Amino acid sequence: TEHAIDSTNGRWPYWVTIGNVIKRLYEDFNDTPGGINGFVVAGGTDTMAHLTAALKYIMPNVGRPVITTGAQTPIFKPGTDAEANIYFSLGVAAADLSGVHQAFGNVLREGLHVHKVRDRNFMAFDTPAGYQLGEFNSEGIVLFDNAPRRNRYVTGRELEFYPKFRDGVKVVRLSPGTRSASILHDALDP
């Protein structure tokens, strides 16, 4: 669309807007067995892990699936991964699942444990094994036992919604070998 942004520019105001749309539409979909009553959010891969985590924090008790996905190559390019990822995501959005998760490649990942590990590979994301919730294989979509199931009691009224974020928060990874000057530099960064 004319208002699309590059995913590298994705930040919390955009993610809150997506959360607002889901909250507004939450009751518009009949939550009956077999119905398509989840949400798929297609986004760029550069900030997809951040988008997924932000939606998880915005709606921590969502009772239906909110699935993020994207592609490493454009949908109209031959050999794209976009078609398979969208198909996988739509299937997961209709499955007996709740929460914010990512469907990418052939793995369904828990929303707070998604990490981009490759820029030029269809298996661009990874997560610790305990946070893999399902897969897309030759038999179709398979949800693992650790995948949270739908909670039909979370209606639009009960949906927790926390759209407040702060600019300027920086994540710093520390290790025993981190130099004190590096920590000080990060602390003084405006």
Side-chain angles (χ1 to χ4, degrees), residues 115-165:
H115 305 282
K116 188 165 184 186
V117 293
R118 294 178 196 89
D119 282 333
R120 307 220 188 298
N121 188 304
F122 288 154
M123 295 306 293
F125 293 90
D126 201 3
T127 192
Y131 298 102
Q132 293 178 5
L133 305 178
E135 65 185 11
F136 183 48
N137 61 32
S138 61
E139 295 181 17
I141 295 169
V142 177
L143 295 180
F144 299 156
D145 291 339
N146 64 332
R149 303 307 181 195
R150 283 183 185 267
N151 184 345
R152 288 176 171 76
Y153 298 107
V154 178
T155 64
R157 182 176 295 170
E158 287 80 25
L159 179 65
E160 294 176 17
F161 192 72
Y162 304 107
K164 305 284 186 195
F165 285 84

Side-chain angles (χ1 to χ4, degrees), residues 51-62 98-101 110-112 148:
L51 162 66
T52 309
L55 291 175
K56 180 82 170 180
Y57 285 120
I58 291 169
M59 299 172 290
N61 74 330
V62 65
S98 70
V100 180
H101 311 293
E110 199 281 333
L112 290 181

Side-chain angles (χ1 to χ4, degrees), residues 1-7 9-10 14 42:
T1 70
E2 66 183 67
H3 300 292
I5 63 163
D6 186 275
S7 69
N9 296 321
Y14 299 104

Side-chain angles (χ1 to χ4, degrees), residues 14-29:
Y14 299 104
W15 306 328
V16 169
T17 300
I18 293 167
N20 281 327
V21 170
I22 292 169
K23 182 176 180 359
R24 182 181 171 119
L25 296 175
Y26 197 79
E27 288 299 320
D28 289 348
F29 294 93

